[in-house]
Amino acid sequence: MRLQNKNIIVTGGASGIGLATVELCMQEGANVIMADLPHDEHVQTASDLSSRYTGRCIFVATDVSSSAQADQLIAATVADFGSVDGVFNNAGIGGMSPADLYTDEDFLHILDINLTGVFRIARASLRQMYAQGSGSIVNCASILGVMGQSMTAAYSAAKGGVVNLTRTLALEAASKGVRVNAVCPGYIDTPLLSALDDNMRQFLIDLHPLGRLGKSEEVASAVVFLLSDESSFITGTPLMVDGGFTAGKS
C-alpha cells in the first residue's frame, strides 16, 4: 500500500473531493486527520471510516480562516500520530459574480479561504515537516488557476495564487526534504453541481474533450500519487486533472 503507516491531513475532508481522498488514503494504509468545519455528522463519518479500514481516521474541527486553528490542526496530528507525512490542502469555497458587482467583503472572503487559508495550512505544515526533514503537501488549485473564466474574478485570482504559491513553496522546501505540488481539477461531479439544469450540465460536459465530468475519486487518485513516494522526483508541479479541458488553451 502506497501510504502504509503515513499520517495524512485532508482539509475540507468531510465531503466531495476531500472525502474521496480521505477514503483512498485509508485504503492505501494511512492514518488520516479529516479536517473540516464542526459538525456531529463529520465525527461519525470519521468513526465509520476507522471501523472499515486498518488505519485510524480522526475528525478535527478546523476553520482555515484562523491561523490559530491551522496551527492547532498540526499540533493535534502530531499529538495523535507523531508526525505529519502528507497534507491535502483542499478546503475551499465557490463564488460567482460579475467583477463590477463584487463587494470588497465578498471578494476578500473568497481569497481568505481559497488562498490565504491554503497558505495558513501550508505554513503550519512546513514548520512541522522541516523539523521532521520530510513530507509532501498537495494544494487544491483548479483549471481556473491557469486560465480565466468570466464571473469568477475572486475564485480565479485565488486559484491562480495557489498555483504560484505552490511553485514558490516547492523551491523553499526542496532542500529540506519536503515536496509541494498542486492538483488542478476540471469540473467534478460533486453535490455542488447537483442544482444545475440539464442544459448547463451538458454545457460543462462538452467543455471536456473526454466527454464527461470528472469524478471525485479521480482527483483523489492524483492526490494520493503526489502524496506517495511514487512521485518522489516531482515538486512545484500543478497537475491537471481536467479531462483535457486546458489542453487546447494557453
Side-chain angles (χ1 to χ4, degrees), residues 12-14 35-40 42-43 59-65 69 93:
D36 213 312
L37 297 174
H39 198 293
D40 290 344
H42 300 165
V43 177
F59 176 73
V60 176
T62 306
D63 182 345
V64 300
S65 69
Q69 290 191 36
I93 58 174

Side-chain angles (χ1 to χ4, degrees), residues 80-198:
D80 280 315
F81 295 147
S83 65
V84 178
D85 301 307
V87 174
F88 180 34
N89 215 344
N90 170 67
I93 58 174
M96 297 185 70
S97 173
D100 59 307
L101 299 181
Y102 254 118
T103 65
D104 285 358
E105 292 77 13
D106 288 344
F107 189 90
L108 292 173
H109 179 59
I110 291 173
L111 261 65
D112 188 46
I113 301 298
N114 289 1
L115 177 55
T116 312
V118 167
F119 172 72
R120 292 184 185 103
I121 296 294
R123 177 179 60 191
S125 301
L126 287 172
R127 289 168 176 164
Q128 174 61 30
M129 290 175 174
Y130 287 172
Q132 298 168 184
S134 64
S136 175
I137 297 172
V138 180
N139 297 322
C140 193
S142 168
I143 53 173
L144 299 184
V146 298
M147 56 177 287
Q149 182 172 293
S150 62
M151 304 285 287
T152 67
Y155 187 86
S156 293
K159 293 301 186 178
V162 170
V163 169
N164 246 13
L165 176 65
T166 296
R167 294 184 176 115
T168 299
L169 296 182
L171 293 173
E172 292 187 15
S175 64
K176 299 173 184 176
V178 179
R179 296 182 299 109
V180 186
N181 291 289
V183 289
C184 298
Y187 284 96
I188 307 301
D189 198 1
T190 68
L192 289 175
L193 299 186
S194 61
L196 297 179
D197 62 33
D198 290 344

Side-chain angles (χ1 to χ4, degrees), residues 225-248:
F225 167 69
L226 291 172
L227 289 173
S228 77
D229 293 338
E230 290 182 346
S231 60
S232 57
F233 199 56
I234 300 174
T235 196
T237 294
L239 176 60
M240 300 299 153
V241 189
D242 68 353
F245 188 108
T246 58

Side-chain angles (χ1 to χ4, degrees), residues 56-73:
R56 295 170 59 204
C57 184
I58 298 171
F59 176 73
V60 176
T62 306
D63 182 345
V64 300
S65 69
S66 164
S67 292
Q69 290 191 36
D71 294 340
Q72 289 164 8
L73 173 62

